[in-house]
Every structure is written in structure tokens, then in C-alpha cells.
Amino acid sequence: MESIVREDLLPTILVVDDESSILRVLARVLGRQGMMVHTANSGVQGLLFLEKEQVDLVLSDQIMPGLTGAQLLAEVAHRWPDTERILMSGHCDPDIVAQGLRSEEIGCFLIKPLNAAAMRDIQERATGAYQRRINRPKAPPPP
């Protein structure tokens, strides 16, 4: 018997990082935690993905070529405000993080390498956003 998992029945995360090894590890670990995980290796690729697909949470590295993680999450906050946003970095300007947290463009900041507590926080935030999405009243069809 084959088991089929529908993507719309799982919390969905987009992980954005320019380091492919980080993307692979996070996709594997979060996938084992029951998340549907998509990856993008730049902020621009992340935005292109979001224009086509809905996700519950965006987890982005800060330091990347082109768009930084804070810039990406600011755009996500503007265009998809119901999407949870987490910024991660091993080294980051604290002023950028503080400004993003104050403006609510960044929902949470995590220090790399991510530990078990950080992974649980990601899972809890994604699950909460997923629950809010599926429990949101559906708009009636147009007349």
C-alpha cells in the first residue's frame, strides 16, 4: 500500500540560503519533522517561488548576494503579511535585526548553527501559521 501525502495537509516552509549544504540539511531535518520544505538559493529565487506558491513560513539567511535576508523578509511582510518570517545568520548586524523586529518584518531571529531548540521553534511557528491558514474563513465565490 502506497501512502500519499498531500502538500496542502502539511505546514509549508520556504528555506532561502545561498549555501546548498545548509539548504539540504534544513530540508532534510524539517521534512522529518513533518514539514513540506521548498528551497531557494537566493532572495530573488525565493520571491519568484512565492509568486507561484503559498507557504506558511519563510526561513532566510541574512547574508546572501543580491537581496539580503532582511530585504527579502521585508518584501514578504509587505506582499504576504500572513506568512511567518524568520531570519537566521551566523554573523549579522544587530541594528538590522533590531529594526526588522521592531517593524515586524522579521518575526524571529535565530543564530546559526541552528540547535534543536531553534528547530522546534521553526516547527511551532510553521504549524501555527498553517493552523491559522486552514482555519481562515473562505471567501464566498463571486456571484
Side-chain angles (χ1 to χ4, degrees):
M1 177 181 223
E2 185 177 328
S3 84
I4 298 174
V5 176
R6 289 185 32 202
E7 289 186 22
D8 60 340
L9 298 179
L10 296 173
T12 305
I13 297 176
L14 174 63
V15 181
V16 184
D17 199 311
D18 61 326
E19 294 184 47
S20 60
S21 60
I22 301 276
L23 290 176
R24 282 192 306 273
V25 168
L26 288 174
R28 185 174 53 246
V29 172
L30 293 167
R32 287 181 183 155
Q33 290 180 338
M35 309 284 119
M36 177 59 58
V37 182
H38 302 279
T39 61
N41 63 11
S42 72
V44 172
Q45 280 193 347
L47 287 174
L48 290 172
F49 180 85
L50 290 168
E51 288 172 353
K52 295 183 245 168
E53 301 289 333
Q54 181 177 14
V55 302
D56 299 302
L57 184 143
V58 176
L59 172 63
S60 179
D61 185 34
Q62 166 60 8
I63 300 172
M64 298 182 290
L67 283 177
T68 66
Q71 292 168 328
L72 168 63
L73 296 182
E75 185 67 19
V76 171
H78 175 72
R79 293 172 65 182
W80 302 281
D82 293 334
T83 301
E84 277 284 330
R85 299 166 303 278
I86 298 177
L87 184 66
M88 61 180 172
S89 185
H91 40 280
C92 186
D93 182 342
D95 292 334
I96 291 172
V97 174
Q99 177 185 353
L101 290 168
R102 276 193 308 275
S103 68
E104 297 183 359
E105 293 169 344
I106 299 170
C108 175
F109 177 73
L110 299 174
I111 298 172
K112 287 163 79 176
L114 302 180
N115 60 23
M119 299 304 284
R120 279 191 305 278
D121 190 33
I122 294 166
Q123 180 183 22
E124 289 169 7
R125 287 173 181 270
T127 301
Y130 168 76
Q131 290 296 327
R132 288 188 298 278
R133 176 172 55 91
I134 64 171
N135 291 321
R136 193 173 302 131
K138 305 285 186 243

